[in-house]
Amino acid sequence: MKKVEAIIKPFKLDDVREALSAAGITGMTAIEVKGFGRQKGHTELYRGAEYVVDFLPKVKIELILADDQVESCINAITTAARTGKIGDGKIFVADVQRVVRIRTGEEDEAAI
């Protein structure tokens, strides 16, 4: 089992959700986050004063998947979230040792 975490632009969330659903992947958690990478924020003008926006709004999505679903998940996210501009985001994949469904006690792949 793998945990896939993706940091994407907020306006791409619906596109990514639809792409994942079309790929047969159900269930995800979406969290509003702020951060920066190479983009390093930007400056904005407000009422004649310039100020720096260091942390940009992003959405972090988390999915727990069987190993054989990971590649289709990555393809769906990259295709749906790509704008071709800086700040499109990143995808992280990590191993998951154990999953337990609280309601039934099911474990591992039966629980996801």
Side-chain angles (χ1 to χ4, degrees):
M1 293 177 300
K2 303 285 187 199
K3 179 178 185 178
V4 176
E5 295 181 42
I7 309 293
I8 60 172
K9 292 183 175 184
F11 68 90
K12 286 294 195 174
L13 179 59
D14 285 336
D15 295 341
V16 169
R17 184 182 48 80
E18 289 171 10
L20 289 168
S21 182
I25 297 168
T26 58
M28 66 183 236
T29 301
I31 308 155
E32 291 181 7
V33 296
K34 291 184 179 186
F36 67 91
R38 289 184 186 165
Q39 203 173 0
K40 296 181 183 163
H42 62 277
T43 59
E44 289 189 3
L45 200 60
Y46 179 72
R47 294 189 179 185
E50 194 173 276
Y51 65 98
V52 177
V53 178
D54 289 331
F55 290 91
L56 301 172
K58 302 286 182 180
V59 171
K60 177 180 177 182
I61 58 174
E62 298 180 348
L63 306 100
I64 305 297
L65 305 169
D67 291 342
D68 62 346
Q69 293 181 301
V70 173
E71 286 307 313
S72 61
C73 174
I74 291 172
N75 290 337
I77 293 170
T78 54
T79 301
R82 181 178 291 132
T83 66
K85 296 186 172 86
I86 193 165
D88 276 351
K90 290 200 172 50
I91 299 173
F92 307 94
V93 180
D95 288 324
V96 173
Q97 299 300 314
R98 186 176 177 194
V99 176
V100 178
R101 184 184 309 269
I102 295 172
R103 179 176 53 88
T104 62
E106 293 172 299
E107 295 199 21
D108 300 326
E109 290 195 19
I112 56 175

